[in-house]
Amino acid sequence: MNKTILKIEHIKKVYHDLSGEMEAIKDINLDIYDKEFLSIVGPSGCGKSSLLSILSNLSTSTSGKIVFDNYNVKIGYMLQSDSLFPWRTILDNCLIGLEISKELTPEKRNRVIEMLNMYGLGEFIDKYPSSLSGGMKQRVALIRTLATDPDILLLDEPFSALDYQTRLALSDDVYKIIRNEGKTVIMVTHDLAESIY
Ligand SMILES: Nc1ncnc2c1ncn2[C@@H]1O[C@H](COP(=O)(O)OP(=O)(O)OP(=O)(O)O)[C@@H](O)[C@H]1O
Ligand SMILES: [Mg+2]
């Protein structure tokens, strides 16, 4: 068994608004192992996205803690909505993480272009998100997440906007990339079949 990369200890999340409290996560405890592919399945509204946003540090938990194996663990988060920037080209959308972390080198840029070609987006490199279909936008979002070469990938319903055939092809690709590049993955979905696949 690989070593633990991440421990989720007694995580609880309560949202507050004018109508009162809403307990989105009760008490989650999980050990996640290095290079593990973990999928979390549950119906809409059960707190899946809330958990990922806590893991990625975009939001805080009400109580409990997340313990990483070391300080250098890098997280890539593919949000449930593709959240591409409409004013940036497809390539520039994929490079944004590298730009922000000041890691953009010609080699990394080429690797992103290679991935775009591999996922059938080669012709769209200089186009804008508005000219892409929903499934294509999801692929761009996935490539953007992979571009920074994270150790842990958080995927929030990554294939939900895809038709069945594209979904099978893409989940195959994703699985290959994850296996080749040795990533730890936490994927959430409401689709039991997808998680088994
Ligand atoms: N920012 C927020 N403020 C208040 N309540 C929220 C907020 N975000 C989520 N919730 C509530 O917390 C619960 C869990 O939401 P969450 O988005 O984590 O569910 P989910 O499992 O990802 O659902 P889905 O499968 O539909 O994406 C829901 O009842 C939702 O209404
Ligand atoms: Mg969600």
Side-chain angles (χ1 to χ4, degrees), residues 95-109:
L95 296 178
I96 194 159
L98 292 167
E99 280 174 27
I100 290 171
S101 57
K102 301 198 179 0
E103 291 176 87
L104 185 56
T105 59
E107 293 74 43
K108 290 190 173 165
R109 186 188 160 91

Side-chain angles (χ1 to χ4, degrees), residues 45 47-50 80 156-157 188:
K48 304 182 297 296
S49 298
S50 300
Q80 189 165 13
D156 197 343
E157 317 242 1
V188 306

Side-chain angles (χ1 to χ4, degrees), residues 37 118-119 139 142 146 155 158-159 162-181 185 187 194 196-197:
F37 193 122
M118 201 161 77
Y119 285 128
R139 274 180 276 166
L142 181 63
L146 289 167
L155 306 178
F159 310 120
L162 304 176
D163 59 83
Y164 187 68
Q165 269 174 316
T166 315
R167 185 184 289 211
L168 288 187
L170 186 58
S171 38
D172 251 354
D173 286 341
V174 170
Y175 178 67
K176 274 184 207 139
I177 291 177
I178 288 162
R179 199 184 45 190
N180 289 343
E181 306 205 6
V185 182
M187 177 180 94
E194 180 171 291
I196 292 168
Y197 184 80

Side-chain angles (χ1 to χ4, degrees), residues 17 22-23 52 63 66-67 84 92 112 117 131-132 140 146 154 171 186 193:
D17 63 16
M22 153 79 212
E23 190 177 56
L52 292 192
S63 60
I66 309 283
V67 185
L84 300 178
D92 288 343
V112 169
N117 280 315
S131 55
L132 266 56
V140 174
L146 289 167
L154 305 177
S171 38
I186 304 175

Side-chain angles (χ1 to χ4, degrees), residues 43-58:
S44 182
C46 75
K48 304 182 297 296
S49 298
S50 300
L51 178 65
L52 292 192
S53 62
I54 292 168
L55 289 176
S56 65
N57 216 6
L58 278 184

